[in-house]
Amino acid sequence: MLVDSPPEQRAETAPAPPNRRAIRTLGLLVSVVILMLVALASIAIGAKELPLDQVWHGLFHDTGSYGDVVVDERLSRTVLGLLAGAALGLSGAVLQALTRNPLADPGLLGINAGASAAVVTAITYFGVSTLDGYVWFAFVGAAVVGALVWFLGGSRGATPVRLALAGTAISAALYGYLQAVMITDGAALNKWRFWTVGSLASANDSTITQVLPFIAAGTLLALCLARPLNAVAMGDDTARALGANLGRTRALSMLAAVVLCGAATAACGPIAFVGLMVPHVVRSFTGPDLRWILPYATVLSPVLLLGADVLGRIVARPSELQVGIVTAIIGGPVFILLVRRRRTAQL
């Protein structure tokens, strides 16, 4: 169900006063520093305890087994977490602006369902059993569903309500397909369940190389859409009055969201709540201006994803909890809190 944009979002976004702009800029720089610290923690902390000096030597001198653990496992895992976190947060922020629903996330338009259905198809009917094989099937599945949602939603005449309804209907159909395949093929279920939980543990250079161009292109496109999305977020009539091209802006926004979320989901599996929580929290202190929401979401979403991944390695030593489980545990209560706060604000 769509939620109307708040009154302050329906007003034209005015340039921020100099002091407020400076505070936002400083906050963004602080967020970058926090991200760097979390990334360093992701490299230094793992299910296997290593002294910091061994981590250092393994990172820069590749000393035997330490180099294997730090470079081949933790460094690749951290880089993928940075990319996937930024992609999920940015796609969530774009979709929230596109649908004018602050509680929207990439799953609203069926992107996660499309990727999941494609992976199950690859496992069941094509015998694919490696992450490198899953990546392309998942990405194509997400892209096909994104295009289908756009078509069913009315293409250039699409509205937030039509897009949400089309995404919900397609997601329901695809999850029905998933359940049917899982019931009839136990082997496919065993393979798929490891991918669908959402994890950074299988990160490698090949996966990063495959998704990096898509995430880079999607990020650039999304950031360039900040100004026209500001107009769209105010409502169709206001956007037209401001000279925004609604059809083009929605089409490019859908493309950016599908590319970003599709690439992240293909590499890590479906990870919930990152695309929902971070843009919503960011909006609470930046205001509705997407010129600030999008950069903040790009920086802070990897903080959440990598932080959850590090937490998952610590709490279950010598094993670990997958990052998708940790974000769900964190995200559930936060989501309830966000809904209650919004309901209270509307009373």
Side-chain angles (χ1 to χ4, degrees):
M1 181 175 178
L2 293 180
V3 180
D4 291 334
S5 55
E8 67 271 14
Q9 196 166 349
R10 292 197 283 264
E12 183 175 356
T13 303
N19 59 335
R20 189 175 182 184
R21 191 180 302 116
I23 293 173
R24 287 172 171 174
T25 303
L26 179 61
L28 190 59
L29 293 175
V30 171
S31 299
V32 172
V33 173
I34 294 173
L35 176 59
M36 293 172 62
L37 294 176
V38 173
L40 290 174
S42 178
I43 296 173
I45 300 173
K48 178 179 180 180
E49 293 189 54
L50 290 177
L52 290 179
D53 61 329
Q54 294 177 356
V55 173
W56 177 268
H57 285 290
L59 186 61
F60 292 102
H61 303 289
D62 195 15
T63 56
S65 61
Y66 299 141
D68 294 339
V69 171
V70 175
V71 177
D72 296 341
E73 297 180 18
R74 295 186 188 176
L75 184 59
S76 296
R77 188 170 181 163
T78 300
V79 172
L80 184 59
L82 290 170
L83 294 174
L88 291 171
L90 198 52
S91 64
V94 168
L95 288 175
Q96 288 176 13
L98 178 64
T99 61
R100 295 200 290 272
N101 180 356
L103 299 180
D105 74 341
L108 179 69
L109 299 185
I111 298 173
N112 288 344
S116 298
V119 169
V120 167
T121 301
I123 294 171
T124 305
Y125 299 109
F126 296 97
V128 179
S129 59
T130 64
L131 180 62
D132 289 345
Y134 296 161
V135 166
W136 290 107
F137 277 92
F139 187 77
V140 170
V144 168
V145 169
L148 186 59
V149 168
W150 177 247
F151 174 76
L152 294 177
S155 300
R156 289 189 173 273
T159 64
V161 174
R162 288 180 179 178
L163 290 174
L165 290 175
T168 301
I170 292 174
S171 294
L174 289 176
Y175 282 124
Y177 164 75
L178 287 172
Q179 294 300 319
V181 174
M182 294 300 100
I183 291 173
T184 58
D185 191 338
L189 172 61
N190 289 332
K191 293 178 182 178
W192 179 72
R193 64 191 178 94
F194 289 109
W195 177 83
T196 193
V197 73
S199 174
L200 300 175
S202 299
N204 55 54
D205 293 341
S206 175
T207 303
I208 293 171
T209 302
Q210 291 179 68
V211 301
L212 177 58
F214 295 102
I215 293 178
T219 299
L220 180 60
L221 177 59
L223 292 176
C224 290
L225 289 170
R227 189 178 295 274
L229 276 174
N230 269 340
V232 171
M234 300 173 199
D236 291 1
D237 293 338
T238 304
R240 291 190 187 96
L242 293 173
N245 187 322
L246 291 176
R248 182 178 61 190
T249 300
R250 285 176 176 150
L252 292 176
S253 298
M254 275 290 296
L255 176 62
V258 168
V259 169
L260 288 167
C261 184
T265 303
C268 308
I271 297 176
F273 291 109
V274 175
L276 167 64
M277 282 193 296
V278 176
H280 195 87
V281 171
V282 165
R283 193 179 296 106
S284 68
F285 59 83
T286 64
D289 192 347
L290 285 153
R291 292 172 297 179
W292 290 102
I293 293 174
L294 296 183
Y296 265 99
T298 305
V299 175
L300 291 179
S301 296
V303 171
L304 172 61
L305 189 62
L306 287 176
D309 191 42
V310 172
L311 181 62
R313 300 180 217 173
I314 295 174
V315 298
R317 280 177 173 167
S319 184
E320 64 178 68
L321 285 177
Q322 305 302 324
V323 66
I325 297 174
V326 179
T327 56
I329 293 173
I330 296 173
V334 172
F335 179 76
I336 293 172
L337 178 62
L338 293 177
V339 172
R340 288 182 60 85
R341 284 183 59 187
R342 183 158 187 82
R343 179 179 295 178
T344 301
Q346 291 176 337
L347 293 178

